[in-house]
Amino acid sequence: MATTRGVEVKARVPAGLEEILSADALNLVAALHREFDPTRRALLARRAERQARLDAGERPGFLEETREIRERGDWKVAPVAPDLRDRRVEITGPAERKMMINALNSGARVFMADFEDSNSPTWENLVQGQRNAIDAIERTITFETPERTYRLNEEIATLLIRPRGWHLPERHLEVDGEPISGSLFDFGLFMFQNARRLLQKGSGPYFYLPKLESHLEARLWNDVFKFTQDALGLPQGSIRATVLIETILAAFEMEEILYELREHSSGLNAGRWDYIFSLIKKFRNHSDMVLPDRAQVTMTVPFMRAYTELLVRTCHRREAHAMGGMAAFIPSRKDPEVNKVALTKVREDKVREANDGFDGTWVAHPDLVPVATEVFDSVLGERPNQVERQREDVSVEPDQLLDFRVPGGTVTEAGLRNNVSVALQYLASWLDGNGAVAIFNLMEDAATAEISRSQVWQWQRNGVRLAEGPPVTADLVREIEDEELEKIKESLGDAYGRYRWDEARRLFETVALADRFDEFLTLPAYQKLD
């Protein structure tokens, strides 16, 4: 790899980051694009075809053509990597310098540096994030403020990377005149810069894979892994990947996803927020499958219990890790009563996961690491995980995953207002370059913003009435927008002017009120980023 034939960087490379986009690095990324982009595009077209069938009334189920894979008992995933044996608490966040240091120092066993849902994919964020990952692996990462210097502790979390999903492009890099896949850009640059470096340090290149909708999409990742390991002269199986089961269609193909990635698999994760978004998105035109207020769709409702228990059973049968979902609460420094109530809920959530057999869980803030660790310590003790718990008592039928009834569930004005306010605040922050935002004491990212806007679309589209009486209409939503923006303006004061509220509002109305449903809000939003 000595030239960059057919590769064009469409943006200025930030000063000091030129080595991230070296000729050899770009040639690897270009090779990935040329080899795999046709398959990626075909799989995205397959998603659209499947959506048309769902709109026409098709109901998903376990695949007949892969029954043999599910019924065979003679295969397991690859042996666990030594520094991934104990994942009892994982913390996530964008690959921003200060956040990375705090997360790596948090006491969590694993830190997932995120180039996806908690990252606003500005060119600066993406390239600087790659630099930050290198510095974290080399333990040279620091961050200076007038008050203190942030640096790594002696003991830090194991690093994982989440690249963007298959649907997202990277328009700042073109190969043969076409924008490259964001997934291949994030993955390829990280592998080129860090794979050998990590292996030499006794670790490895570890990933979380988001937004998969089928085992064929997992097969594509596995092919990418094999190709990249060969291209870099690495042993096959060096890469390890955990797949987020965060779409309803993937929930029907968990076993097949593990099978496709079995040489590289570290397990599955219950990506609860995107999963809820997927339920709304995939069945958005079905009036009998409308979900109530987001806050009422808890992990204890029957269809969410079926999904998580099936995930544990599936993983442990194949000796893979089953990772629990995100605790998104952000502790308040001003309101101890809010903290007390929220921490009780976090603890209950983690107790449920640990008792159900999960091997670990996610948190969004360092202050939640001790709570989650205490819960999993009480169940695991000295064991690194509980893969031996087979959960043979679990049996899940398709109808259990598709019965979206929430006992006592309602659509309320408060729920509608929350959705509107969260979506507007998140989009304004995202356009400003920040993809992880504390709103109402919760860490909001693209997944939770997707729930907010897609619920508004679904409620309005299906003529849902609020518990208070009036139907959800575009006019009502716009009226609430006016009122919520006034509240935000009053709360922020002078800081209100730094954000692009008019653009955020237009974008929200595009993805929440238009006749056509945008599959991901980040696709139209991306066109407005630098």
Side-chain angles (χ1 to χ4, degrees):
M1 295 187 294
T3 68
T4 52
R5 177 181 57 83
V7 179
E8 184 178 1
V9 178
K10 307 287 285 187
R12 182 185 62 83
V13 179
L17 299 178
E18 294 82 3
E19 71 169 290
I20 304 300
L21 299 168
S22 68
D24 284 348
L26 291 180
N27 274 309
L28 173 62
V29 169
L32 290 170
H33 171 85
R34 292 174 178 132
E35 183 73 18
F36 297 109
D37 200 59
T39 303
R40 180 185 75 91
R41 291 178 181 273
L43 289 171
L44 292 179
R46 188 176 182 272
R47 287 186 184 183
E49 293 164 3
R50 186 74 184 277
Q51 182 63 56
R53 299 203 304 273
L54 294 174
D55 289 343
E58 178 182 283
R59 289 175 68 89
F62 300 111
L63 302 180
E64 184 59 35
E65 61 266 32
T66 56
R67 177 186 292 275
E68 181 190 3
I69 290 171
R70 296 194 303 277
E71 292 182 348
R72 279 171 47 195
D74 63 346
W75 66 269
K76 311 290 183 186
V77 302
V80 65
D83 52 346
L84 290 178
R85 291 183 69 236
D86 189 333
R87 303 171 63 180
R88 65 188 66 199
V89 179
E90 300 187 344
I91 190 168
T92 76
E96 187 270 333
R97 213 162 176 84
K98 179 182 172 183
M99 285 190 180
M100 287 188 76
I101 296 169
N102 286 338
L104 289 164
N105 288 342
S106 67
R109 300 302 204 277
V110 168
F111 165 53
M112 185 197 77
D114 192 16
F115 287 87
E116 206 228 5
D117 272 358
S118 67
N119 178 57
S120 175
T122 66
W123 182 240
E124 175 81 26
N125 283 352
L126 293 166
V127 182
Q128 183 63 54
Q130 294 281 348
R131 173 77 262 172
N132 296 343
I134 294 170
D135 291 348
I137 293 165
E138 291 297 332
R139 302 184 66 95
T140 60
I141 188 169
T142 60
F143 184 79
E144 301 279 348
T145 70
E147 293 78 28
R148 61 174 289 193
T149 298
Y150 295 80
R151 61 180 75 251
L152 294 180
N153 296 337
E154 187 65 29
E155 186 173 336
I156 61 172
T158 298
L159 179 67
L160 274 74
I161 298 293
R162 178 164 69 170
R164 283 169 285 177
W166 283 131
H167 61 288
L168 290 167
E170 179 44 63
R171 58 185 170 84
H172 297 100
L173 184 71
E174 291 187 357
V175 176
D176 304 330
E178 295 181 332
I180 192 173
S181 151
S183 301
L184 297 178
F185 178 86
D186 300 339
F187 168 81
L189 288 183
F190 182 82
M191 283 295 295
F192 181 84
Q193 300 290 350
N194 297 302
R196 193 169 300 281
R197 169 183 276 131
L198 283 162
L199 290 168
Q200 288 171 349
K201 293 177 179 294
S203 185
Y206 306 144
F207 296 91
Y208 261 107
L209 305 180
K211 305 289 191 293
L212 271 62
E213 295 194 8
S214 76
H215 70 286
L216 298 180
E217 296 180 17
R219 180 182 298 171
L220 175 57
W221 268 119
N222 199 64
D223 290 343
V224 168
F225 293 167
K226 291 191 292 185
F227 180 95
T228 306
Q229 288 165 152
D230 280 346
L232 295 176
L234 304 175
Q236 286 296 323
S238 298
I239 296 170
R240 289 288 190 271
T242 305
V243 173
L244 289 136
I245 301 299
E246 52 187 0
T247 68
I248 179 63
L249 299 181
F252 288 99
E253 300 184 34
M254 293 188 207
E255 201 130 18
E256 293 90 334
I257 287 169
L258 285 176
Y259 182 80
E260 294 293 343
L261 285 159
R262 61 195 181 279
E263 299 169 349
H264 301 101
S265 181
S266 288
L268 306 176
N269 175 291
R272 60 178 68 174
W273 304 121
D274 263 309
Y275 189 78
I276 293 170
F277 164 53
S278 175
L279 304 182
I280 300 166
K281 176 169 69 173
K282 292 301 178 185
F283 301 100
R284 58 186 179 256
N285 293 312
H286 295 260
S287 60
D288 61 335
M289 302 179 84
V290 174
L291 291 179
D293 289 359
R294 163 183 154 183
Q296 298 173 28
V297 185
T298 67
M299 298 307 295
T300 61
V301 300
F303 60 89
M304 296 299 283
R305 291 286 289 153
Y307 147 66
T308 54
E309 291 194 313
L310 178 61
L311 189 148
V312 173
R313 176 184 167 90
T314 302
C315 285
H316 287 183
R317 185 177 179 219
R318 305 303 179 181
E319 296 184 2
H321 283 150
M323 301 304 300
M326 171 66 77
F329 171 64
I330 302 299
S332 169
R333 301 189 185 281
K334 299 178 181 178
D335 195 335
E337 191 57 35
V338 167
N339 289 350
K340 181 179 178 181
V341 172
L343 286 172
T344 297
K345 292 181 179 178
V346 169
R347 183 179 295 275
E348 291 172 353
D349 181 54
K350 301 313 170 191
V351 166
R352 175 191 54 76
E353 288 182 328
N355 288 336
D356 280 352
F358 280 96
D359 301 293
T361 191
W362 272 19
V363 299
H365 193 279
D367 288 354
L368 299 184
V369 171
V371 177
T373 300
E374 179 187 337
V375 170
F376 273 83
D377 283 351
S378 68
V379 171
L380 296 179
E382 297 299 317
R383 295 176 298 159
N385 53 63
Q386 50 183 337
V387 168
E388 76 281 355
R389 283 193 63 192
Q390 295 291 292
R391 289 308 309 268
E392 293 178 353
D393 57 305
V394 172
S395 178
V396 174
E397 299 298 324
D399 285 349
Q400 292 175 263
L401 294 171
L402 295 171
D403 183 354
F404 295 171
R405 287 175 295 181
V406 175
T410 55
V411 178
T412 68
E413 181 181 329
L416 177 59
R417 285 187 178 277
N418 183 77
N419 280 342
V420 170
S421 183
V422 165
L424 288 170
Q425 291 184 69
Y426 182 78
L427 288 170
S429 181
W430 197 89
L431 292 171
D432 194 49
N434 183 11
V437 192
I439 304 174
F440 305 140
N441 292 113
L442 293 176
M443 182 60 76
E444 303 286 351
D445 66 6
T448 51
E450 291 280 27
I451 296 173
S452 293
R453 69 92 181 187
S454 60
Q455 282 205 309
V456 173
W457 192 97
Q458 187 184 47
W459 293 344
Q460 187 239 342
R461 180 79 170 194
N462 289 281
V464 170
R465 286 188 173 273
L466 300 177
E468 293 81 0
V472 179
T473 64
D475 286 342
L476 176 59
V477 172
R478 292 189 181 99
E479 180 182 323
I480 289 175
E481 282 182 277
D482 290 335
E483 295 168 358
E484 293 303 313
L485 282 169
E486 279 300 313
K487 293 177 186 176
I488 295 167
K489 186 174 183 178
E490 182 179 346
S491 173
L492 291 179
D494 293 342
Y496 184 86
R498 65 169 284 189
Y499 297 101
R500 296 148 61 182
W501 294 104
D502 289 344
E503 281 189 76
R505 181 171 186 163
R506 286 194 296 270
L507 180 56
F508 171 70
E509 292 184 4
T510 296
V511 297
L513 297 179
D515 289 339
R516 184 179 69 87
F517 185 87
D518 280 286
E519 289 294 302
F520 295 94
L521 68 81
T522 45
L523 288 172
Y526 184 51
Q527 302 308 312
K528 301 179 183 298
L529 284 183
D530 295 333

